[in-house]
Amino acid sequence: MSDNERHHDDLLAERFEAYRGHLRAVAYRMLGSAAEAEDAVQEAWFRLSRSDTREVSNLGGWLTTVVGRVCLDMLRSRRSRGEEPLETWSPAPSAEPDPAQDAVLADSVGVALLVVLDTLSPAERLAFVLHDLFGVPFDEIGGVLGRTPASARQLASRARRRVRGADAPEADLVRQREVVDAFLAAARDGDFEGLLAVLDPDVVARSEAGVTAGALGVASGAKSFAHLARVAHPVLVDGATGLVVYAEGRIERALTFAFAADRITSVDIVTDPARLSELVIEPA
């Protein structure tokens, strides 16, 4: 191996390591096992090392879809063998034991979510995890699944309804409504501190225009929502507390939320008519 080739390999390995934590999080949410997640990440490294990525402009996105494809194959193989990934739904040891990291992964995902995710088909699970948890566009997800972007969107929507339906018992809906009401009041008043009070520090807001991460960025965006907040109405969207805005008698946009510890962890802003038609919207 020449010095130039060795230098290239070292740079590639360094870039890969910068994404390892993110890839491990994706794989863990897909597979529910830290050991299998490590295997998937390692397979992604093998594929990267054997690929010509000089034309890849977004290495993080490329690696995310590679890990998704690897996990999809692992899930399908698991189902064909009739295996259950985790009998007790506690994190499995990683290939290189790191109890602290395993605990962080388990806490960030939650045993309840892992249980619900395991009821989904492999395709539904991949579409939901990659899009709803990591913001991967549906055209890329469709490429992984060998389906159209519209089909990938339908899979994610079906999975989202099942996840939210299982994750929103009636007692939680009361607290969700309180949090959403506080968010709505702060947005109407342009109350930046009030918005920060109900947003998780790592909140993510997604819309057709892109993704905003972090409470400061999401709160700044929500302040510009003030004129729409004045005409927004609390509803149930796919079984969880959300908001809709009507225009000329039809729903112009819907906001769906995810919650943890009485704070908003994600906001999805839906304005596309096709996506709006897939949502189940009921009075709150």
Side-chain angles (χ1 to χ4, degrees), residues 70-229:
V70 171
C71 291
L72 183 64
D73 291 342
M74 293 172 72
L75 286 172
R76 286 171 171 167
S77 176
R78 178 194 290 169
R79 288 213 165 192
S80 69
R81 296 193 303 267
E83 294 180 358
E84 292 295 332
L86 295 172
E87 294 181 0
T88 60
W89 285 103
S90 59
S94 62
E96 296 180 4
D98 185 351
Q101 180 64 17
D102 288 346
V104 169
L105 284 171
D107 288 344
S108 67
V109 181
V111 170
L113 177 57
L114 288 176
V115 171
V116 176
L117 288 178
D118 198 48
T119 67
L120 306 177
S121 71
E124 288 172 337
R125 186 162 180 162
L126 180 132
F128 174 79
V129 168
L130 290 189
H131 180 266
D132 283 46
L133 302 185
F134 294 97
V136 177
F138 283 119
D139 56 347
E140 295 180 23
I141 295 171
V144 174
L145 292 170
R147 304 193 186 198
T148 64
S151 176
R153 180 182 289 113
Q154 290 176 346
L155 287 167
S157 179
R158 189 159 63 234
R160 191 180 305 121
R161 285 195 292 271
R162 293 173 69 178
V163 169
R164 287 183 174 151
D167 207 27
E170 188 173 342
D172 289 345
L173 290 177
V174 174
R175 184 57 189 148
Q176 287 180 8
R177 176 62 183 269
E178 292 174 352
V179 174
V180 169
D181 283 348
F183 170 86
L184 192 56
R188 285 170 174 165
D189 296 339
D191 179 2
F192 192 76
E193 294 300 323
L195 288 165
L196 291 179
V198 296
L199 295 174
D200 184 86
D202 297 319
V203 63
V204 175
R206 291 176 287 262
S207 70
E208 279 89 359
V211 178
T212 302
L216 292 176
V218 174
S220 296
K223 285 179 64 179
S224 65
F225 175 67
H227 65 293
L228 291 174

Side-chain angles (χ1 to χ4, degrees), residues 2 8 11 17-18 53 100 153 161 223 227-228 255 268 270:
S2 69
H8 173 266
L11 287 177
E17 286 303 318
T53 57
R153 180 182 289 113
R161 285 195 292 271
K223 285 179 64 179
H227 65 293
L228 291 174
L255 278 70
D268 281 280
V270 183

Side-chain angles (χ1 to χ4, degrees), residues 16-77:
F16 179 82
E17 286 303 318
Y19 292 109
R20 180 180 288 275
H22 164 76
L23 298 176
R24 194 166 186 259
V26 173
Y28 187 79
R29 285 159 174 81
M30 283 290 297
L31 300 168
S33 162
E36 289 186 331
E38 287 288 359
D39 291 342
V41 172
Q42 194 61 25
E43 176 63 23
W45 162 246
F46 290 145
R47 296 190 185 189
L48 174 63
S49 64
R50 296 194 299 263
S51 301
D52 182 358
T53 57
R54 286 174 295 184
E55 301 300 320
V56 175
S57 59
N58 180 1
L59 184 62
W62 187 89
L63 286 169
T64 298
T65 56
V66 167
V67 165
R69 193 171 284 115
V70 171
C71 291
L72 183 64
D73 291 342
M74 293 172 72
L75 286 172
R76 286 171 171 167
S77 176

